[in-house]
């Protein structure tokens, strides 16, 4: 249902930058969450009942339940490249388009992945905690020994855009690159990154550093658990910049506690922002709060791309980053 002057009504479920609100206000009537706590699923169901568009983030789940009364909804635009918060099948059934924000965050996220790898291998968080506690009394030959990153083997699980951007960085560190992916890359791309395709088990056994950059799906739930951690070298690190739930955090905490692997760097957690206390108790871990894409430039670019997609969909155009083209064709 459009309002009297034909401005589409939209829901914004997460605080955005003022510039984005100003842009949207030129075209739409907005119901904005502001700084109140996140909407519950029941509130989302009610609020979507009179909207034509919505701007979401991965924190809000789109289930068939919350779409029950969404009679006029045309599009939900996600401010993220990952869209495991979308039940895309349920959206398509109701001819609701879903969009995401790829490309604009590739390099920023790869930078964070590499930073986490370096910090983890070289025990940077642990060293800082130790200094802040006043424990640094003298330089020691054997103090805070880490493992090297340069001239080691990087195992990349998920060789999409971000995986390839990581490979590019790794080449500068003279690393050998092995990767595992649902589909093997073309020979040209493999040779550009000097990357060798291997199966999951081989990657886990051979890599000095394993980095996870794959999408979350029911198939990748606990893709790394006790069995996989057992296959890794005791000197290896595990870095997760993909999604919580890909790693079994409980199994990881226990592997770290028992020094089954050297260390881990995590930007994402199952059930985040909550995390299991066991992860906080082990020293050999670097933790960041899902900041892979969090540079000012990139977060603005993500917001603007999500707004472009939303406005295109509301104006009857095909959004650039449409995830379910069937929903557009049927409109
Ligand atoms: C993404 O874009 O998917 C980032 O992980 C933010 O959620």
């Amino acid at each position: 249902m459009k309002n009297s002057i034909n401005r589409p009504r939209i829901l914004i479920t997460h605080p955005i930058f003022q510039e984005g609100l100003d842009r949207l206000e030129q075209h739409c009537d907005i119901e904005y969450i502001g700084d109140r706590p996140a909407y519950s699923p029941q509130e989302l169901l009610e609020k979507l009942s009179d909207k034509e568009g919505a701007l979401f983030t991965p924190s809000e789940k789109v289930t068939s339940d919350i779409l029950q009364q969404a009679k006029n909804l045309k599009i939900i635009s996600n401010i993220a490249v990952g869209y495991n918060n979308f039940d895309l099948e349920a959206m398509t059934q109701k001819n609701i388009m879903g969009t995401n924000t790829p490309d604009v965050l590739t390099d920023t996220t790869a930078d964070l992945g590499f930073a986490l790898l370096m910090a983890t291998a070289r025990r940077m968080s642990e060293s800082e905690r130790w200094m802040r506690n006043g424990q640094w009394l003298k330089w020691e030959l054997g103090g805070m020994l880490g493992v090297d990153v340069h001239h080691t083997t990087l195992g990349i699980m998920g060789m999409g855009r971000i995986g390839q951007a990581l490979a590019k960085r790794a080449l500068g560190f003279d690393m050998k690159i092995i990767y595992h992916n649902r589909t093997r890359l073309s020979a040209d791309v493999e040779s550009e990154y000097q990357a060798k395709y291997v199966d999951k088990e081989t990657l886990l056994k051979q890599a000095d550093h394993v980095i996870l950059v794959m999408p979350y799906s029911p198939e990748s739930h606990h893709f790394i658990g006790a069995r996989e951690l057992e296959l890794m070298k005791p000197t290896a690190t595990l870095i997760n910049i993909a999604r919580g739930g890909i790693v079994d955090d409980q199994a990881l905490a226990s592997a770290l506690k028992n020094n089954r692997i050297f260390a881990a760097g995590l930007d994402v957690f199952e059930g985040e922002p909550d995390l299991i206390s066991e992860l906080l108790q082990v020293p050999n871990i670097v933790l960041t709060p899902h900041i892979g894409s969090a540079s000012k430039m990139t977060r603005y670019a993500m917001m603007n791309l999500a707004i472009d997609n939303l406005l295109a969909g509301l104006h009857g155009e095909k959004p650039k980053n449409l995830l379910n083209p069937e929903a557009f064709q049927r409109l």
Side-chain angles (χ1 to χ4, degrees):
M1 185 204 317
K2 284 187 180 168
N3 73 4
S4 52
I5 48 170
N6 266 2
R7 284 159 57 89
R9 293 174 61 84
I10 64 163
L11 179 68
I12 304 181
T13 58
H14 191 94
I16 62 170
F17 303 118
Q18 186 59 45
E19 291 84 342
L21 272 180
D22 294 345
R23 252 189 93 190
L24 284 166
E25 262 160 10
Q26 291 172 29
H27 306 272
C28 310
D29 282 347
I30 302 174
E31 180 162 359
Y32 183 48
I33 184 154
D35 51 17
R36 54 145 284 168
Y39 294 132
S40 67
Q42 179 60 29
E43 285 173 309
L44 284 174
L45 175 138
E46 285 158 18
K47 289 180 184 302
L48 288 175
S49 67
D50 64 346
K51 303 296 185 300
E52 291 173 88
L55 206 54
F56 270 52
T57 72
S59 312
E60 298 88 42
K61 286 209 177 337
V62 180
T63 59
S64 57
D65 285 349
I66 71 151
L67 299 178
Q68 272 173 38
Q69 296 173 15
K71 305 259 179 315
N72 305 308
L73 195 63
K74 285 189 185 150
I75 177 163
I76 303 181
S77 172
N78 218 24
I79 315 179
V81 64
Y83 53 91
N84 56 299
N85 57 317
F86 281 2
D87 180 341
L88 216 49
E89 216 176 286
M91 291 169 71
T92 306
Q93 260 176 27
K94 293 184 82 82
N95 294 338
I96 299 167
M97 293 180 277
T99 60
N100 68 339
T101 60
D103 302 319
V104 293
L105 48 66
T106 301
D107 281 314
T108 299
T109 308
D111 282 354
L112 190 277
F114 220 85
L116 210 45
L117 166 58
M118 298 292 290
T120 303
R122 300 300 303 274
R123 302 172 68 177
M124 291 179 73
S125 295
E126 195 183 344
S127 294
E128 184 172 350
R129 281 194 301 271
W130 190 71
M131 281 178 75
R132 286 181 188 274
N133 281 341
Q135 287 168 279
W136 189 26
L137 302 178
K138 60 179 188 317
W139 184 89
E140 283 175 285
L141 187 65
M144 280 293 162
L145 301 182
V147 291
D148 277 323
V149 171
H150 68 87
H151 295 97
T152 61
T153 298
L154 178 63
I156 304 177
M157 292 282 194
M159 198 60 158
R161 288 170 283 239
I162 299 172
Q164 290 176 37
L166 276 163
K168 204 162 151 186
R169 284 153 179 76
L171 286 179
F173 280 72
D174 294 312
M175 296 179 94
K176 186 174 153 198
I177 297 159
I178 54 179
Y179 78 96
H180 184 68
N181 203 38
R182 272 174 305 189
T183 41
R184 190 172 168 169
L185 300 178
S186 70
D188 283 357
V189 180
E190 281 189 354
S191 98
E192 186 181 343
Y193 299 116
Q194 297 162 42
K196 186 174 162 210
Y197 178 81
V198 291
D199 61 35
K200 177 181 173 184
E201 199 162 313
T202 306
L203 186 146
L204 291 168
K205 284 182 179 162
Q206 290 186 356
D208 297 302
H209 306 284
V210 175
I211 188 156
L212 307 173
V213 215
M214 58 216 280
Y216 178 83
S217 67
E219 295 75 51
S220 62
H221 182 74
H222 288 187
F223 185 78
I224 302 290
R227 194 191 81 85
E228 286 75 19
L229 290 159
E230 202 53 50
L231 293 173
M232 290 173 65
K233 297 181 184 180
T235 49
T237 71
L238 176 73
I239 312 298
N240 187 8
I241 58 166
R243 274 288 183 271
I246 291 181
V247 174
D248 176 347
D249 288 347
Q250 204 77 53
L252 175 61
S254 142
L256 290 169
K257 189 171 165 204
N258 301 321
N259 296 314
R260 204 17 240 116
I261 64 168
F262 181 70
L266 305 178
D267 186 47
V268 286
F269 308 85
E270 193 167 6
E272 64 184 49
D274 297 330
L275 57 157
I276 57 167
S277 60
E278 289 85 341
L279 286 179
L280 297 171
Q281 283 153 16
V282 284
N284 44 347
I285 192 164
V286 179
L287 305 169
T288 52
H290 202 148
I291 55 168
S293 58
S295 74
K296 188 173 176 186
M297 243 180 81
T298 294
R299 285 286 166 88
Y300 266 83
M302 289 165 70
M303 177 189 76
N304 280 320
L305 182 54
I307 292 175
D308 292 345
N309 284 323
L310 180 67
L311 291 177
L314 291 171
H315 292 150
E317 296 151 19
K318 188 170 177 180
K320 180 170 171 212
N321 307 111
L322 183 58
L323 297 164
N324 54 347
E326 313 89 289
F328 177 72
Q329 278 142 22
R330 289 200 222 120
L331 286 176

